[in-house]
Amino acid sequence: MRSVAINCFSSVYGRLKAFSLAEEEIRCNGSIDIGGLSEEEESIDQASPDPLHQRLLKEQANAINNHKKYKCLSCDGPNCTPSYLCQGAYQCWKYIERDKDGNIRKSRGCTTNLDHVPFFCSNEETMVQAKEKVFAIRCCHGDFCNNGSFPELEPIKFSDTKVKMGEDDSASYVWRLIVAVIGPVVGVVLVATIVLLLLRRNHIKRLNSSPPHTSYSALPDDMRISAPVDTTLRGYYDDSMTSGSGSGLPLLIQRTLAKQISLAECIGKGRYGEVWRGIWHGENVAVKIFFSRDEASWNRETEIYSTVLLRHENILGYIGSDMTSQNSCTQLWLVTHYHICGSLYDHLNRTTLAHRHLLTLAISLMAGLAHLHTEIFGTQGKPAIAHRDIKSKNILVKGNGVCAIADFGLAVTHKQSTGLTEIAPNTRVGTKRYMAPELLDESLDPHCFEALKRVDMYAVGLVLWELGRRVVSNGIAEEYQPPFYDRVGSDPSFEEMRKVVAIDQHRPVLPNRWASDTILSGVGKLMRECWHQNPNARLPALRVKKTLIKLAANDNNVQYQ
């Protein structure tokens, strides 16, 4: 029976609009056809076994016999304002509903058609809870009996649960979305990390399983190895002494060198290419990778490094050169010793110097340059070499605090026996900031080897100035700055340097504090003689080295032989 009532009341509000037509008719005509049930309808209804339907028919019959009509208030939802009069009604009613969102809708009205009376109220007040709303209708008989307050609605039983479930569902949806998006990414990262760790572990195992050998950086430059057990690197170097490949590895081994090296990290970039730290037989090496357009520089540097008797403690140790292909692109490799401190430029930017550090760096620099400039005579002799690109970025700092000269892409050789200066066909030029005045005004004779050595000495004077500024004296040290920082920009043009150095004859300014420091004032005097405007007045490398050693004798903390 309750299901029948619910089905009846669920369509109540939908029929209100249809019933309003009857109400309009009453207000316009002032009467209504009461009518009654036809004989056919009576026979059907009497045959109906539904008690509720029988009771509704009985009330309808009583209302028909009663013929009493009322005046009712009528208003539309949702707020039921304003109200107007409904006359000739058999029944008054007021209706209230609340949907699932908590919205209230109210209305009042009347039933002016007896056929509609059973569909509004089966009793005086009915409250129904449908699927998504709760509504109540109160019917009455009497003039304006539908005035006053509306029925109280029971809470929607599922509302609290629904709201709570809605909040929980919303939070759950967000979490599910996060897991769906981030979960696979995290999973891929974890799998990739595990794979990389396993590969690295296997790589280390393979390296550890190879025969033990000493570090190349610990090998003396004269190749006198004191270790009792022969090592891989020693065997390579021993072979190189008779292979015709100069100070590097045998040519046969150099042709497969790139396949044996694993690049670890990029440690520098320049106009020629990149410098990488590589792993070769478990040892760190430096791999200088040239762009293909700089093949002339690679050829020249390989040729200079392969010079017999070039090996020296203060010249970067050479291992070999190779040519390889990466992603269909040709790469030119130059493999040398690796020094963790990097270039002198990097070192000076990182730290200040004590007097002993200054002298150690300066003396080792001059020792390496003097070895380059000196020709060694004999059947296995060494030609004199001019570097032509001396600067702090081309000087490396070794772990024991001494310098090693690098980058021989512009170097030229000279032999007294022939009197010829061999200049490679290279389009590269030196660094403009370190160019001597005779280079800038183009008065240099490139075939005069002595003139090229004096160009190196001019640049040495600027490097000594860079070193001196970072020395702590009386608790003071200037911050690192490149030469002529106060006169030209970070990338000066050839014309800018020509005006400053060659025409105006400016030189870097020496700080006033150097005058009260014996070592700094001595180094300052040397650098002035190195960057003299007249090339013939500049000191040779060996003379500068000996003068620095004499200065070092005044400082007991400096030990250099």
Side-chain angles (χ1 to χ4, degrees), residues 11 108 123 139 168 238 252 290 300 343 361 507 516:
S11 60
R108 303 177 195 270
N123 50 30
C139 299
D168 293 343
D238 287 344
L252 181 61
F290 290 78
R300 188 57 174 170
S343 68
L361 291 168
R507 297 293 185 271
S516 59

Side-chain angles (χ1 to χ4, degrees), residues 335-357:
V335 185
T336 64
H337 291 179
Y338 171 78
H339 300 295
I340 194 171
C341 294
S343 68
L344 180 60
Y345 173 84
D346 298 328
H347 187 65
L348 294 179
N349 272 279
R350 284 193 303 263
T351 182
T352 57
L353 306 175
H355 291 90
R356 59 189 180 89
H357 297 140

Side-chain angles (χ1 to χ4, degrees), residues 438 451 472 496 525:
E438 59 270 26
V472 178
E496 287 177 323
K525 182 179 178 180

Side-chain angles (χ1 to χ4, degrees), residues 432-435 440 458 483-484 488 492-503:
K432 301 179 189 69
R433 188 183 296 274
Y434 292 83
M435 281 185 176
L440 295 169
Y458 170 86
F484 304 106
V488 295
S493 66
F494 186 88
E495 288 301 323
E496 287 177 323
M497 293 306 304
R498 179 174 177 271
K499 182 179 185 307
V500 170
V501 176
I503 298 176

